Amino acid sequence: MTALDLQVGQALGIRPEGEGPAPVLVGGGFEVFFFYGGLSREEVLGFATGAVSCGVYVEDAIPVLVLDIENFGGLEVAFNIFVEPEEKRRQFFEATPAGSTAHIVLCDHPGSVVQAVRLIRPGVHAISEIKKACFDQLTLYRNLSQCFQAMGRIYESISPEEMRRMVTMRPA
């Protein structure tokens, strides 16, 4: 199942461990599922229709997609290539970043019911940065756990506001 197949109100049938983002590689691009509880109708509408800008922060081969959604707020999504099976990695790395799109999906938590689905266009530069950093992860880290540890260190050492100051945000 991909984000294109999802309908608002549909239950995903999964129980994520906690609130937050879950990126998934799809072909040459990606989808990000955001799981949050207690969202207001206005926040869901903001996620579904607000103007989106994005940038990519990279540290120690960890790419963080930084999103700002008007009338919703900021989101940060770190990618760990070790989460994905070999075939998905290969498709992601081999696809050209030109014209790459991504789907973002807002789901409630803990129910995992789809609240909103939308298409964004991060741009060739952002997709290229994410791909390069993910490729570098394969040589810098030995496994999934090491990469997650690095992600944790980054999130502890820099705030979302600092990330935004360090990247160029572009309309998506």
Side-chain angles (χ1 to χ4, degrees), residues 19 24 41 43 53 72 94-95 107 132 139 145 155 162:
E19 292 184 316
V24 178
R41 179 180 292 271
E43 289 171 313
S53 60
F72 182 81
E94 289 179 356
C107 301
K132 181 185 181 323
T139 56
S145 296
Y155 279 127
E162 290 174 293

Side-chain angles (χ1 to χ4, degrees), residues 14-22 35 109-110 112 144 148:
I14 61 171
R15 294 276 184 205
E17 290 182 27
E19 292 184 316
F35 298 94
H109 186 269
S112 299
L144 176 100
F148 274 133

